[in-house]
């Protein structure tokens, strides 16, 4: 992530809570802060992810720049 990158990001989460007490046992989110967006984009371009169908991509779990551009256009 870069400080100047101000795109909206949907973060989905899965949590487990007790109905009576409201105690939350666990929360798992789909954010991975260890990735470098520029490095992922470069690798995705070199391995053919931009032209592969989504289920067959190396980075299928990530939104690549063309995915974002297409979503905005739609």
């Amino acid at each position: 992530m870069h400080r100047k990158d101000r795109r909206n990001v949907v973060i989905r989460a899965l949590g487990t809570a007790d109905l009576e007490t409201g105690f939350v046992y666990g929360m798992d989110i789909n954010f991975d802060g260890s990735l470098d967006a520029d490095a992922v984009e470069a690798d995705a371009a070199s391995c053919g992810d931009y032209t592969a169908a989504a289920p067959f991509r190396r980075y299928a779990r990530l939104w690549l720049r063309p995915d974002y551009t297409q979503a905005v256009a739609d």
Side-chain angles (χ1 to χ4, degrees), residues 9-43:
V9 177
V10 175
I11 297 180
R12 300 184 191 279
L14 176 67
T16 304
D18 183 271
L19 287 174
E20 291 181 21
T21 65
F23 182 81
V24 176
Y25 293 101
M27 185 69 78
D28 295 305
I29 61 172
N30 71 345
F31 177 76
D32 186 353
S34 68
L35 298 174
D36 179 330
D38 294 329
V40 168
E41 292 291 341
D43 192 37

